[in-house]
Amino acid sequence: MALEYGRRYAASMPGSVLKPVSGAGHFPQIERADEVIRLLTSFARAAPVASSPAESSE
């Protein structure tokens, strides 16, 4: 996907984050695996922790 399309797509979703992976083509998860893992790990660590339904009823 062209970067401009990615930017517009991300802009249409509140709270979204676009992180282009330089030097990757159609398979960034294969071509730049270390970079993708770093980005996903950072994203997951920054995400709020949701409580389970059992915790919210206590």
Side-chain angles (χ1 to χ4, degrees):
M1 161 182 344
L3 189 52
E4 184 54 35
Y5 291 118
R7 285 187 178 116
R8 283 192 273 164
Y9 191 58
S12 73
M13 295 180 281
S16 68
V17 178
L18 175 66
K19 298 288 185 174
V21 179
S22 298
H26 294 287
F27 300 103
Q29 71 278 15
I30 295 170
E31 298 165 359
R32 300 290 310 275
D34 290 343
E35 177 71 6
V36 171
I37 290 168
R38 185 187 67 74
L39 290 168
L40 288 172
T41 300
S42 175
F43 176 79
R45 286 186 175 149
V49 177
S51 61
S52 69
E55 291 174 348
S56 61
S57 66
E58 294 177 358

